[in-house]
Amino acid sequence: MTNPLLSTADLPEFAAIRPEHIAPALDVLLPAAEAALEQAVSAAVPADYDALSAVLDVPLERLSRAWGAVNHLNAVANSPELREAYNTNLGRMTEFHTRLGADERLYAKYKALASGPTAAALSPDRRQALAHAVRDFVLSGAELQGDAKARFAAIQERGAELGQRFSDQVLDATDGFVFYANAEQMAGVPADVCLQTHEAAAAAGREGHRLTLQIPVYLPVLQYATDRALREQLYRAYATRASEFGPAAQDNSGLMTELLQLRAEEAALLGQPSYAALSLVPKMAESPAQVTGFLRDLAQRARPFAERDLAELKAFAAEHLGLPDLQAWDQPFAAERLKEARYAFSEQEVKQYFTEPKVLDGLFRIVETLFELRIRPDVAEVWHPSVRFYRIERPGTGDAPPQLVGQFYLDPYARSGKRAGAWMDVVRGRWQRPDGTPLQTPVAHLVCNFASPVGQVDGKDRPALLTHDDVITLFHEFGHGLHHLLTQVDELAVAGISGVEWDAVELPSQFMENFCWEWEALSRLTAHVDTGEPLPRALFDRMVAARNFQTGLQTLRQIELSLVDMRLHAEADAPGRVQALVDEVRAEVAVNPPPAFNRFQHSFSHIFAGGYSAGYYSYKWAEVLSADAFAAFEEQGVFNPEVGQRFRREILEAGGSRPAMDSFRAFRGREPRIDALLRHQGMA
Ligand code: ZN
């Protein structure tokens, strides 16, 4: 039998891969990786970059490419058989990589290499890759001995368990609330939500509408229900989930304290002053003080706008909604009404102007103009007939042929068996392989979930219509794709998005989003599906105004969450005074502090059960970087090729080969500033 997962063809054989290929492929690839590890740590292999890379990186990359194809199919072409095969084999992959990441012999080899005589002669890219490898070993406790090592492992295990319990209890507390509303109480709520909650009630053998704290129910009720008492009831339930105000078995108070204590202890074991400091070691931000300084500066600048937003909202609620004492449970309701009164436009109307072919063509032209590239259709085996494949080329000069830069798959439409959302994923990275084969060019997946085309006009298929949000999503993922595909780094571990700091990785993606708010760019993406007319300028202006609606209040809310996260992980006494610390941050930042019973931190899964601990600031951080980068284009012309070339060279091509701050400075000629973000969001 020929197993497509063992194929050494240029690209994955997506059409041929079946669930029954997975286990036999791993039966070959995992032992090969194991053997490579044993050989790499043996005395037979010197502490030499090429020697280690040839022995270890080649089989590891082969394994990761095969598993990458399986993982991808599991996300975009799921079936019960595939899911079962995936889940059965996932543990084998995790087990191997956990062991690899903690192998002390391999760490010793890398250390010997880093401090050995050949280190100085390594290229900067290789030095960076090696530094990352050594750093990651240190952060996973490789330097610890004896009791400290055992304690570190115990903390990891207990931390994972507490994080899981935290998220389980949030889930249980969320699911624990049900309220049956009658038709009168549902006044104002959109018809589809009324229908869906009515059906849920009927399924439970009850009358009326089954209301829960799930976002698709909770949010529209808060935004649209005219019944104030109903809004208050849901708000109270939502804001106190998993807290001391609910069942003791779902109270996260103790878990938060223990998690914060454990994290502080972990940081101390690794010689760091706090968990916040530890979390920042592999990130772009340099210190907790830098992050809190950044957040406080932004808060100060956003504050007047937040005060204005709140004053407007209060005045509108008093005058038009009969709510002279605006409460937390009135705010989403009043905001929706005010937004509607001011900027009403129909998403349906906007959609008619964004046909998929026009949007794609416009996106490709923008990228080609900015970065001096060509994007052309290409041919590859795919997993669904709607999937396309493209190649990006650098035009040849004179008689020279075009040069292949990278290739990408585009899987645009939602369908059953495909995971929701949108993402960029790596098929393979750019790499000058140690086996002497020609340079490996990068390949990426761009996956979206747009509505498929429906219907025909004059015997021809109607194109798919995208919402403006869809267009933004496409540009966002394309930005990630460019970051991965345009790299000129030949070292796999720091090529493209590999090795890029976690809080800088959204720079190119959010950068690309800006074009969707730029008239000169956006107008090129539009042609009415029936008339071919471009988007009217007046409609565009309303879209921009709606985008900036209440950004002052939203910004302060994000800063409040970020400061709470940072201070909880930076201050030694925080585990014992979580609520007091939250109150302090609110007093400092919020223009409209929530009610005293609000316990949002008890369901703040991002930082207690997700990967965002001492990292929540990165949302705002990356927005500042991307807005400031885009401002360089605004200053010198949105399609200025000279600025485009510089962005390509200093940010996109450099990838993870140097610190993101160095790349930013090389592009902008200075450190990032927050002015552009404030201006883009109407706060200047
Ligand atoms: Zn992203």
Side-chain angles (χ1 to χ4, degrees), residues 223-224 313 316 331-341 549:
Q223 286 174 320
Y224 299 106
L313 200 59
F316 178 82
Q331 270 199 40
F333 175 72
E336 275 312 306
R337 288 295 183 89
L338 176 57
K339 189 174 166 185
E340 213 174 270
F549 179 64

Side-chain angles (χ1 to χ4, degrees), residues 362-637:
L363 165 63
F364 289 177
R365 295 293 93 80
I366 289 172
V367 168
E368 289 176 339
T369 309
L370 277 179
F371 305 128
E372 286 188 357
L373 299 166
R374 265 180 30 192
I375 302 175
R376 295 199 294 128
D378 202 346
V379 182
E381 219 175 86
V382 294
W383 52 94
H384 188 273
S386 63
V387 176
R388 302 86 183 262
F389 189 62
Y390 297 91
R391 61 194 283 122
I392 301 181
E393 294 171 346
R394 199 172 295 228
T397 40
D399 290 340
Q403 185 197 346
L404 176 65
V405 175
Q407 293 154 296
F408 63 93
Y409 300 84
L410 174 67
D411 184 348
Y413 309 127
R415 58 175 178 269
S416 63
K418 181 172 166 183
R419 181 150 57 87
W423 64 92
M424 189 284 287
D425 199 2
V426 171
V427 179
R428 70 182 192 209
R430 182 174 157 114
W431 194 18
Q432 187 60 64
R433 304 174 65 98
D435 47 15
T437 47
L439 179 77
Q440 172 172 305
T441 51
V443 181
H445 287 300
L446 300 179
V447 183
C448 297
N449 266 285
F450 304 143
S452 318
V454 276
Q456 289 199 322
V457 179
D458 302 333
K460 273 171 45 187
D461 287 343
R462 230 163 168 256
L465 299 179
L466 309 188
T467 66
H468 188 238
D469 276 347
D470 289 340
V471 177
I472 294 171
T473 300
L474 178 67
F475 273 66
H476 180 104
E477 300 310 334
F478 211 82
H480 284 307
L482 290 172
H483 202 187
H484 186 65
L485 295 172
L486 301 194
T487 189
Q488 289 297 300
V489 175
D490 293 344
E491 207 54 46
L492 186 66
V494 288
I497 61 159
S498 300
V500 175
E501 292 101 313
W502 187 82
D503 48 353
V505 94
E506 297 294 333
L507 194 174
S509 54
Q510 295 184 347
F511 165 83
M512 286 299 293
E513 288 184 27
N514 285 287
F515 288 99
C516 305
W517 294 106
E518 194 64 41
W519 175 247
E520 206 188 325
L522 191 76
S523 52
R524 298 181 183 200
L525 308 177
T526 63
H528 192 282
V529 61
D530 298 322
T531 66
E533 292 288 313
L535 183 77
R537 179 69 197 238
L539 181 52
F540 172 74
D541 289 342
R542 279 209 302 280
M543 291 160 64
V544 172
R547 174 204 192 191
N548 290 338
F549 179 64
Q550 304 245 299
T551 44
L553 282 173
Q554 285 162 21
T555 301
L556 285 196
R557 176 67 182 151
Q558 285 299 309
I559 293 171
E560 185 185 322
L561 296 176
S562 307
L563 265 181
V564 163
D565 168 42
M566 214 59 203
R567 288 188 53 189
L568 281 176
H569 290 104
E571 297 174 15
D573 60 353
R577 56 186 300 274
V578 173
Q579 188 61 47
L581 188 148
V582 168
D583 292 340
E584 281 169 21
V585 171
R586 278 181 185 160
E588 179 191 344
V589 173
V591 292
N592 57 332
F597 64 76
N598 184 298
R599 292 287 180 274
F600 85 90
Q601 68 273 18
H602 287 71
S603 56
F604 199 180
S605 298
H606 267 82
I607 69 162
F608 289 112
Y612 280 79
S613 33
Y616 198 81
Y617 73 92
S618 62
Y619 287 108
K620 279 288 155 208
W621 184 269
E623 271 184 65
V624 167
L625 298 177
S626 58
D628 196 19
F630 192 71
F633 288 83
E634 293 173 316
E635 288 156 15
Q636 292 168 64

Side-chain angles (χ1 to χ4, degrees), residues 221-240:
V221 170
L222 265 280
Q223 286 174 320
Y224 299 106
T226 52
D227 188 324
R228 195 182 196 191
L230 180 70
R231 295 199 307 264
E232 179 177 351
Q233 189 187 358
L234 260 73
Y235 175 87
R236 280 182 180 273
Y238 191 83
T240 55

Side-chain angles (χ1 to χ4, degrees), residues 202-216:
R206 297 282 299 258
E207 302 272 303
H209 300 265
R210 187 174 195 271
L211 301 188
T212 67
L213 300 181
Q214 313 289 349
I215 286 294

